[in-house]
Amino acid sequence: MCGIFGCVLKKGKAAPLIHAALKRLEYRGYDSVGEATLYNGVMYIKKDQGKIDDVHKIINLDDMPGNIGIGHTRWATHGAPYKENAHPHTDCESKIAVVHNGIIENFFEIKEELEAIGHEFKSKTDTEVIPHLVEEDMKRGMPLIEAVRDTLKRISGSYALAIISNDEPDKIICARNDSPLVIGVGEEGVYCASDITAFLPLTNKAVIIENGELAVLKADHYKIWTISDWEPVKKEPEKVKWTIEMAERQGYPHFMIKEIHEQPRCLRDTLRLQDMYLDLMATFLDRAGEIFLVAAGTSYNACLAASYMFSELAFLATHPVIASEFIEQQGMAVNINSTILAVSQSGETADTLAAVDYARIRAATILGLTNTVGSSLTRVSRVYIVQQSGPEIGVAATKTFTSQMSVLAQLALRVAKIRGKVGHRQIEEIESSIKQIPEIAEKTIKKNELKAVEVAKKLKEKKVFFFLGRGISSATAQEAKLKLMEIAYVPSIAYPAGESKHGPISLVERGFPVVFVCPKDRTHKTIIGNIMEMKARGAIIISVIEEGDEEIKTLSDEYFEIPGKLPEVLSPIAFIIPLQMLAYYMAIEKGLNPDKPRNLAKSVTVK
Ligand code: F6R
């Protein structure tokens, strides 16, 4: 998730304005920064890796001529956060510059094709194909706008982009597909940005660009068209009443709830991962002697869920291990035949890296799943996958958890294909279900948010919670427990439901809240038995069920319904969402700041 900005001013210098706008967008990405401006038929570009302030100290981002320009603050997706990979990216002759937020899925084929006809690429990014495609079209005599439109028809994936060319120095062209883009209309000029925050001090008049739309910005007006059939789109600016702080959170009161709402988009982005990397990692997993899934906290819970996925789909045994216990628990068993799949959102968790280092010294193969390109984990992994969730600002992991599970499910499915263990019909079924997850997640959020507020209000005084699930849902229960404990400070216990009667059930008395995670899978009948056990002891039953599950509904005091049918192995991705919201609203009810729980840091870099 990067930040983009562009401006065409009636007069004055664009660069200081771009710099200030990028500072306001820095929360979207902060590993490198860059600007391009046009003046007297010359393109000026400054960019480097590092935080905006640090880069500015060295190359002075304000000192660039011209009243038109674009800028970018980056959260790396393709290519490590080096200067060459920083945006803007240009064509061979540095006449066309592009800033982009999103992922171009077919960049690899296009790049090969362009290289074959002599284009020279300077970066490892997916974005760089765009200026080269535009260049190719303009060489054939197309004006900028047509060349951009033609280019957009060639690329697939997500984008919010802004393009300038010194052949047509009076305009910015911007376009959107699945990544946010908004135009600002001010007294001094016209702006485009990945969110309103960027131009809010300059104007509060905004025009939201929708998927499949392209806009041309000039200093005193803008025009919008649909990309596919080139229909003009009439849109008047709307007045935005947000403060800068609210705009950063896109109107949400906290980053955590904003990130919960971002899950459908993040899950969609996990479906755009390059096949090449998924296949490569699947091959390593298939050939591994013994596999350890190593992680901490929420990432460990994703590993726990993944161990069910690998077993169920690929008939592959894996050992999920808490990173800080890895050396003591499994250390002597690690050798050249071992494979470690380390999962870490930040890629910097000290416990996970210590486990990885230990295993590397014993010649084990290291695979990594992370959200952070260029992180320590990517540097020590033989193969790594970047899950593409964008920066997560709330301390509690939400969108990165569901995305991790989506990637792990895709991996399990690929291993299954390689091993030929499941039939093509089941593979197709799971594949199609994985594609439906973003929509189910979206409906789940809509259907359950008010309910989460209501349940939180009712249960806010409860001193302790119990979370139970069977099969893969026991991982969902673990994650739900972690969320409630860490942000609402409610001591909680999670168990596989079958294990609860081997001890923890002694805690249960009248009014004790027990949350059951109950997809309609093969554990359904048994979990009903577990619900009865708790009910008989006076527990308050809160369940997460599939829509229309009347049997469990009648046994529950409160229930959250998941609108949509998912196979058992994918159920945690949807079933966790109402419980993330419950944790969030419990924190709100208790007057706590869910974005900054006490004693916790986003990235735990000490052992
Ligand atoms: C919980 C949470 C932490 C992290 C853990 C691992 O909401 O955020 O438990 O999951 O510190 O972090 P990563 O995934 O960065 O290794």
Side-chain angles (χ1 to χ4, degrees):
M1 196 175 82
C2 309
I4 70 166
F5 179 76
C7 65
V8 202
L9 302 178
K10 290 176 185 157
K11 58 180 188 328
K13 267 169 73 176
L17 227 99
I18 301 173
H19 174 193
L22 293 180
K23 274 301 290 174
R24 291 188 286 272
L25 287 177
E26 200 169 15
Y27 76 95
R28 295 180 68 95
Y30 31 73
D31 60 43
S32 48
V33 59
E35 296 181 5
T37 59
L38 295 173
Y39 182 65
N40 269 351
V42 180
M43 173 92 66
Y44 292 81
I45 294 194
K46 285 189 178 179
K47 60 182 187 178
D48 210 342
Q49 75 185 81
K51 295 220 162 80
I52 298 178
D53 287 349
D54 298 338
V55 172
H56 177 57
K57 268 187 214 143
I58 299 166
I59 58 176
N60 193 350
L61 293 165
D62 295 340
D63 186 20
M64 297 168 74
N67 65 340
I68 175 167
I70 53 179
H72 189 270
T73 170
R74 179 164 189 252
W75 173 265
T77 56
H78 289 85
Y82 300 141
K83 179 178 177 180
E84 308 79 67
N85 292 334
H87 297 221
H89 290 289
T90 56
D91 62 318
C92 296
E93 295 183 17
S94 293
K95 288 170 101 182
I96 300 155
V98 177
V99 289
H100 165 224
N101 170 34
I103 303 161
I104 308 300
E105 288 159 21
N106 56 344
F107 83 99
F108 207 72
E109 303 90 277
I110 298 178
K111 188 171 176 177
E112 272 185 352
E113 191 187 301
L114 288 165
E115 278 175 336
I117 54 171
H119 285 260
E120 279 180 22
F121 282 75
K122 300 175 216 72
S123 79
K124 298 244 178 309
T125 64
D126 51 339
T127 304
E128 202 185 344
V129 296
I130 299 171
H132 288 277
L133 281 172
V134 175
E135 175 186 26
E136 202 47 41
D137 280 341
M138 288 184 83
K139 266 201 286 193
R140 285 197 227 113
M142 281 191 198
L144 180 63
I145 186 167
E146 269 179 42
V148 172
R149 188 179 167 221
D150 188 55
T151 295
L152 296 178
K153 287 183 173 167
R154 292 277 326 269
I155 59 177
S156 56
S158 59
Y159 52 78
L161 44 86
I163 304 182
I164 51 174
S165 159
N166 56 4
D167 281 341
E168 297 186 35
D170 60 335
K171 61 176 79 75
I172 294 177
I173 301 198
C174 55
R176 165 186 175 157
N177 188 48
D178 276 356
S179 297
L181 180 67
V182 51
I183 294 177
V185 187
E187 295 294 319
E188 310 296 327
V190 179
Y191 317 97
C192 63
S194 37
D195 67 58
I196 290 168
T197 328
F199 55 69
L200 206 50
L202 305 166
T203 179
N204 65 353
K205 288 194 210 153
V207 181
I208 310 289
I209 301 296
E210 302 294 344
N211 283 340
E213 290 178 352
L214 175 152
V216 176
L217 316 185
K218 294 200 177 174
D220 53 3
H221 71 274
Y222 62 92
K223 278 190 183 157
I224 306 170
W225 289 268
T226 57
I227 299 165
S228 55
D229 42 15
W230 212 236
E231 287 293 325
V233 181
K234 282 248 163 307
K235 281 189 199 179
E236 291 305 318
E238 285 170 36
K239 275 205 174 148
V240 180
K241 295 200 183 88
W242 293 349
T243 60
I244 295 262
E245 255 214 320
M246 281 164 79
E248 265 189 2
R249 294 186 242 102
Q250 276 149 33
Y252 291 102
H254 298 97
F255 281 107
M256 181 177 173
I257 192 69
K258 168 177 173 272
E259 285 156 3
I260 288 174
H261 278 259
E262 276 171 8
Q263 290 180 109
R265 184 183 57 71
C266 295
L267 287 163
R268 236 164 246 134
D269 284 342
T270 63
L271 303 177
R272 300 196 164 102
L273 293 174
Q274 296 288 311
D275 286 336
M276 192 169 76
Y277 298 114
L278 285 166
D279 286 338
L280 189 58
M281 195 176 282
T283 309
F284 271 92
L285 289 170
D286 172 48
R287 296 195 183 155
E290 191 153 36
I291 300 169
F292 299 101
L293 309 175
V294 180
T298 291
S299 297
Y300 169 77
N301 292 335
C303 288
L304 192 57
S307 65
Y308 290 81
M309 295 170 180
F310 283 117
S311 154
E312 176 69 17
L313 293 175
F315 296 42
L316 182 68
T318 55
H319 308 283
V321 189
I322 289 180
S324 57
E325 287 298 309
F326 180 74
I327 298 171
E328 286 73 16
Q329 191 185 345
Q330 302 289 351
M332 297 307 281
V334 176
N335 57 46
I336 196 166
N337 297 315
S338 310
T339 293
I340 313 298
L341 171 51
V343 179
S344 171
Q345 184 282 127
S346 60
E348 300 295 349
T349 297
D351 289 327
T352 309
L353 294 175
V356 162
D357 278 348
Y358 175 94
R360 275 171 73 209
I361 291 167
R362 277 151 192 81
T365 302
I366 310 298
L367 310 175
L369 169 58
T370 181
N371 190 32
T372 318
V373 176
S375 59
S376 304
L377 182 58
T378 61
R379 291 198 290 272
V380 295
S381 298
R382 186 92 178 267
V383 181
Y384 65 85
I385 292 177
V386 180
Q387 62 184 81
Q388 314 287 4
S389 313
E392 192 170 57
I393 315 283
V395 163
T398 51
K399 62 176 184 173
T400 54
F401 175 63
T402 44
S403 290
Q404 279 168 348
M405 288 194 294
S406 168
V407 177
L408 290 163
Q410 292 180 58
L411 263 177
L413 195 61
R414 279 166 201 250
V415 181
K417 278 189 194 165
I418 298 173
R419 305 187 120 207
K421 296 282 188 185
V422 280
H424 70 92
R425 200 162 302 149
Q426 196 189 347
I427 294 215
E428 277 165 18
E429 232 170 72
I430 305 271
E431 262 169 359
S432 113
S433 299
I434 291 179
K435 288 190 188 129
Q436 285 166 28
I437 294 174
E439 203 189 320
I440 294 179
E442 203 160 338
K443 290 187 187 155
T444 301
I445 295 169
K446 276 201 192 114
K447 192 168 176 81
N448 291 291
E449 188 149 18
L450 285 177
K451 186 76 191 177
V453 176
E454 193 189 301
V455 176
K457 277 193 199 311
K458 279 189 194 159
L459 301 181
K460 65 174 183 238
E461 305 298 346
K462 295 289 174 193
K463 297 280 177 273
V464 57
F465 270 67
F466 217 164
F467 289 88
L468 298 174
R470 295 189 85 98
I472 196 166
S473 298
S474 58
T476 318
Q478 289 293 346
E479 176 58 11
K481 169 202 81 174
L482 178 57
K483 289 290 90 92
L484 187 66
M485 279 205 316
E486 68 178 331
I487 62 160
Y489 312 155
V490 185
S492 303
I493 306 152
Y495 265 91
E499 186 65 7
S500 68
K501 56 185 171 300
H502 297 284
I505 197 166
S506 67
L507 289 172
V508 177
E509 54 185 3
R510 185 149 301 282
F512 190 103
V514 186
V515 180
F516 280 92
V517 184
C518 330
K520 239 179 173 176
D521 57 18
R522 64 191 136 157
T523 69
H524 192 250
K525 280 271 163 294
T526 338
I527 206 149
I528 289 178
N530 299 130
I531 295 176
M532 306 288 260
E533 284 160 14
M534 294 294 169
K535 224 178 149 56
R537 287 160 180 82
I540 298 177
I541 308 294
I542 304 116
S543 59
V544 189
I545 55 172
E546 246 173 63
E547 196 168 45
D549 183 348
E550 299 303 325
E551 234 175 328
I552 296 191
K553 223 186 245 184
T554 49
L555 294 174
S556 307
D557 298 281
E558 305 290 346
Y559 55 85
F560 297 101
E561 282 184 291
I562 306 300
K565 177 87 196 147
L566 283 174
E568 184 176 321
V569 284
L570 302 178
S571 63
I573 307 177
F575 277 66
I576 189 61
I577 293 175
L579 300 176
Q580 293 171 336
M581 293 197 287
L582 178 63
Y584 172 79
Y585 285 109
M586 286 284 281
I588 299 299
E589 284 299 322
K590 298 176 89 183
L592 303 169
N593 177 355
D595 283 345
K596 293 197 174 118
R598 69 185 172 214
N599 308 332
L600 289 175
K602 185 66 190 159
S603 176
V604 185
T605 51
V606 287
K607 282 205 269 176

